[in-house]
Amino acid sequence: MAYVKRSWSKENFSCSFCLGVFSSPVSTPCGHNFCRTCINKFWDGQVQYKCPVCNRMFHTRPDLQVNNLLSGMAAQFRTSVLIKKQRCVEPGEVPCDICTGTQLKAVKSCLVCFTSYCQTHLEPHQRFAHLKKHRLVEPMDRLEDRMCRKHNQLLELFCKTDQVCVCQFCTEGDHRSHPVVPLKEVYKVKMAQLGKLEAEVPQMIQERKLKIKEIKDTVEMSKEDANRERADGVQVLTALKRRVKKCRDDFNQTVKEKLKTTEKQAEDLIKELEQEIEDLTNRNLEVKQLSQTKDPLHFLQAFRSLKDPPPTHWTTVEVRPPSYIGTLRRSLDQLEETLNMEMKKQRDAELKRVQQYEVDVTLDPDTAHPQLILSEDGKQVHDDDEDEKKNLRGNPKRFTEYVYILTRQSFSSGRFYFEVQVKYKTGWCLGVARESINRKGEIIETPENGYWTLYYDKDGLVFNDDPDVRLPLRAELQKVGVFVDYDEGVVSFYEVEARVHIYSATGCTFSEPLYPILNPFLDEEGINSAPPDHLTC
């Protein structure tokens, strides 16, 4: 095949008549080249035949033959120019499946060949008769996926019933009675939905970024809380450790001093006895010597100077071992006093921490037992006289058998705290309950049934469970605080005025909203109606 120099321009392959690239180029006897059609049209109107370029005259009309070499070179040049004019494929466009090396943009796709063609490679489909019968469509990628596998037809419709793409033949078969619409129609609707989603996605991303920041901030806050708690704990425990060490040292010192006193007493007594033994030994020697004296004068004079023996009281003298009874107890009492002081500080600190989660709650009249009366502000509740009992049992939210009442507010996460005034009450029950508790008929107040409550009457204080947990009364009950950590599963009760922790239920599982719950108990012949005769939130 002829080779076309890359440096040649269009002028080298242009006809001087039409100024286009040669089409079926022919050469005159003088060596000039023209398109066959162009030179024939020029000579058809002439009497004499001459070359339009050099004006050489010919006696007869030349019999022109196609210049095959120039024709091939012109065709090759035409193709190279056409290729240069075509754009290379860009992202999102369909590439030509035939191009090798640099792929050009496809201008048509053939549904018979399942191939996409650029303008150059599409030429056979425009020239050959059997290829002209092929169905050409706008460029499409993944042509095989666009064809119906059953009918081998283009998927141009959308079945609303089955939400699938179908071809025209599918609407005459399995989808005969189904509503179908053109793909472009569904495409517009879905694109509108996608546009809405596209607008919402940045918002969703931002929300999630804010949530990530919130989580990270929570972790940092937790770290700070943990470090602060650890520092406080280490400080307290170190102080207690020093106090225990001092208590141990004081105890050892007390025992040591008692032992030292006893040892000193024994040592002094032994020295005194040893001195008396020495004196008695010397006197005994003097007595022996005097007993051998024969001279009465000397004997009497010596006898007068003889010392009297020490009194014999040593049989009653003894060294008693020290008594250590109560020594350790007194040391432990001192330690207990220190611990109690520290415990009081910690109880105060703990109560202050939970009180920061205090919430404002009001009682819900729709849940109140018919025999209960609420104050106008919804903060107080007490029982009504039996004669004035209201018929309010129709409300499904209302307690009908037990004199309970819930608050309007519920809590489904985090922490919350509320206080109830119980001073002067001889009986009551309070705490939290889940939303789905039984409000009709018999009620069993246990965590399993959705109740986490503290119960008080003449028999004492109890956390309702199975079995019940009886609790010591460490202080007069005046105001009870209830703290709930929903996520940690903790319910704690406090005596607020005495700053005393009463009880904590741990390991609880909460899966629905929790409501504060109260039961003021009935007025039993005035026993439970001393002022104030109500529970106050």
Side-chain angles (χ1 to χ4, degrees):
M1 181 179 288
Y3 175 72
V4 179
K5 289 185 178 180
R6 294 186 183 274
S7 60
W8 285 359
S9 63
K10 182 178 179 181
E11 287 74 14
N12 299 112
F13 297 96
S14 297
C15 172
S16 56
F17 280 105
C18 65
L19 303 179
V21 177
F22 290 121
S23 176
S24 299
V26 293
S27 299
T28 61
C30 59
H32 293 107
N33 300 302
F34 306 94
C35 294
R36 179 194 288 275
T37 303
C38 293
I39 191 63
N40 284 333
K41 284 184 177 180
F42 175 74
W43 283 343
D44 286 345
Q46 301 291 330
V47 178
Q48 295 180 335
Y49 305 104
K50 65 178 180 179
C51 174
V53 176
C54 65
N55 292 323
R56 178 180 173 180
M57 300 297 295
F58 306 110
H59 298 292
T60 60
R61 184 168 180 165
D63 184 15
L64 302 177
Q65 300 295 323
V66 174
N67 187 332
N68 291 325
L69 176 61
L70 183 59
S71 177
M73 295 175 67
Q76 192 172 358
F77 178 78
R78 189 184 299 108
T79 300
S80 65
V81 170
L82 183 61
I83 291 175
K84 286 181 180 180
K85 288 183 179 181
Q86 296 185 67
R87 291 193 300 111
C88 293
V89 66
E90 296 181 359
E93 296 179 335
V94 179
C96 173
D97 294 328
I98 307 301
C99 288
T100 58
T102 302
Q103 285 186 305
L104 299 178
K105 175 186 175 183
V107 294
K108 292 291 181 179
S109 294
C110 177
L111 298 182
V112 178
C113 303
F114 292 140
T115 305
S116 296
Y117 300 100
C118 64
Q119 187 63 52
T120 301
H121 293 122
L122 181 65
E123 189 268 339
H125 278 72
Q126 298 170 332
R127 182 158 48 92
F128 296 107
H130 70 284
L131 293 179
K132 288 182 179 180
K133 297 179 181 179
H134 290 187
R135 184 179 176 186
L136 298 177
V137 296
E138 292 302 310
M140 298 179 180
D141 58 352
R142 304 194 309 274
L143 284 172
E144 295 86 348
D145 297 338
R146 298 175 181 273
M147 304 300 291
C148 175
R149 298 182 183 276
K150 184 175 182 180
H151 302 108
N152 200 31
Q153 295 294 315
L154 185 65
L155 298 171
E156 298 178 293
L157 303 172
F158 185 80
C159 174
K160 290 185 175 181
T161 302
D162 296 333
Q163 293 290 299
V164 293
C165 298
V166 297
C167 71
Q168 186 62 45
F169 290 143
C170 291
T171 62
E172 300 172 4
D174 297 339
H175 301 269
R176 182 189 302 274
S177 59
H178 297 174
V180 295
V181 293
L183 284 182
K184 289 185 178 180
E185 183 178 324
V186 182
Y187 171 78
K188 290 180 180 179
V189 174
K190 297 298 182 183
M191 281 299 291
Q193 295 176 355
L194 187 64
K196 182 180 178 182
L197 179 61
E198 186 178 5
E200 293 174 350
V201 165
Q203 172 83 21
M204 297 168 66
I205 292 174
Q206 184 62 26
E207 289 174 354
R208 281 152 180 77
K209 286 182 177 180
L210 291 175
K211 178 57 68 174
I212 290 174
K213 183 179 182 302
E214 178 185 331
I215 293 172
K216 289 182 177 179
D217 290 344
T218 301
V219 171
E220 288 302 317
M221 188 181 303
S222 298
K223 288 181 180 179
E224 293 175 2
D225 290 344
N227 291 334
R228 183 166 52 251
E229 189 71 15
R230 188 182 299 111
D232 293 344
V234 168
Q235 182 179 358
V236 170
L237 294 175
T238 301
L240 289 177
K241 183 179 179 181
R242 287 197 300 266
R243 190 68 187 89
V244 171
K245 182 178 181 300
K246 185 177 185 305
C247 179
R248 182 196 65 187
D249 294 341
D250 291 347
F251 171 73
N252 289 337
Q253 185 65 28
T254 300
V255 173
K256 183 178 180 180
E257 288 178 355
K258 283 192 174 187
L259 177 60
K260 185 176 180 180
T261 300
T262 302
E263 290 176 339
K264 181 66 168 60
Q265 179 186 6
E267 182 180 346
D268 292 344
L269 288 174
I270 290 173
K271 285 182 178 180
E272 186 177 350
L273 286 171
E274 287 177 343
Q275 183 61 49
E276 290 187 4
I277 290 173
E278 182 180 351
D279 293 343
L280 287 172
T281 301
N282 293 334
R283 187 176 186 280
N284 187 46
L285 181 59
E286 292 177 0
V287 170
K288 283 185 179 182
Q289 292 176 351
L290 187 59
S291 64
Q292 295 175 2
T293 303
K294 302 299 182 180
D295 184 355
L297 178 62
H298 183 264
F299 174 82
L300 291 173
Q301 288 176 343
F303 188 81
R304 287 179 59 187
S305 62
L306 188 65
K307 295 179 180 180
D308 295 331
T312 58
H313 62 281
W314 293 106
T315 56
T316 60
V317 173
E318 61 180 345
V319 177
R320 295 183 179 180
S323 173
Y324 299 108
I325 297 175
T327 303
L328 179 59
R329 176 181 52 76
R330 285 189 290 273
S331 295
L332 293 177
D333 286 344
Q334 294 177 0
L335 182 60
E336 182 181 16
E337 183 179 352
T338 303
L339 288 174
N340 287 337
M341 291 177 59
E342 194 58 48
M343 285 293 293
K344 185 177 183 304
K345 292 180 183 178
Q346 295 308 311
R347 285 196 296 266
D348 288 345
E350 179 180 345
L351 189 55
K352 287 180 181 178
R353 282 199 296 269
V354 299
Q355 283 177 330
Q356 68 178 328
Y357 299 103
E358 187 168 8
V359 294
D360 184 27
V361 293
T362 53
L363 299 169
D364 184 1
D366 289 340
T367 65
H369 184 274
Q371 200 166 334
L372 292 178
I373 295 179
L374 272 67
S375 61
E376 291 186 3
D377 62 0
K379 294 290 187 179
Q380 300 176 354
V381 60
H382 65 91
D383 73 299
D384 193 4
D385 294 334
E386 186 68 27
D387 294 339
E388 299 180 9
K389 190 172 183 179
K390 302 177 288 296
N391 185 17
L392 301 172
R393 296 175 180 270
N395 192 329
K397 297 169 58 178
R398 190 178 305 284
F399 290 91
T400 57
E401 298 299 326
Y402 288 72
V403 286
Y404 275 114
I405 183 172
L406 301 177
T407 63
R408 295 178 184 273
Q409 297 76 18
S410 65
F411 305 89
S412 302
S413 63
R415 302 162 183 166
F416 64 95
Y417 170 87
F418 63 96
E419 295 179 350
V420 181
Q421 182 75 40
V422 298
K423 191 175 182 180
Y424 303 124
K425 294 290 292 181
T426 60
W428 46 262
C429 183
L430 59 88
V432 293
R434 67 187 178 210
E435 187 174 39
S436 63
I437 54 173
N438 174 33
R439 308 183 190 191
K440 314 296 180 183
E442 184 178 1
I443 293 175
I444 301 176
E445 302 107 324
T446 63
E448 183 179 358
N449 293 318
Y451 292 82
W452 291 266
T453 53
L454 206 61
Y455 177 97
Y456 175 74
D457 65 4
K458 59 183 177 59
D459 294 326
L461 188 63
V462 170
F463 176 74
N464 291 313
D465 204 341
D466 186 18
D468 289 339
V469 180
R470 295 209 163 268
L471 304 168
L473 279 174
R474 300 179 181 176
E476 181 184 357
L477 295 171
Q478 299 185 51
K479 184 185 293 184
V480 176
V482 182
F483 170 71
V484 177
D485 190 326
Y486 192 100
D487 303 318
E488 291 293 328
V490 176
V491 181
S492 297
F493 299 88
Y494 299 87
E495 204 325 292
V496 179
E497 301 300 332
R499 324 295 284 181
V500 173
H501 171 255
I502 299 174
Y503 182 76
S504 286
T506 59
C508 308
T509 301
F510 305 130
S511 58
E512 56 185 276
L514 293 179
Y515 288 81
I517 185 171
L518 301 178
N519 182 340
F521 280 23
L522 296 177
D523 174 12
E524 300 176 356
E525 299 180 356
I527 296 177
N528 196 33
S529 62
D533 63 343
H534 49 247
L535 295 182
T536 304
C537 292

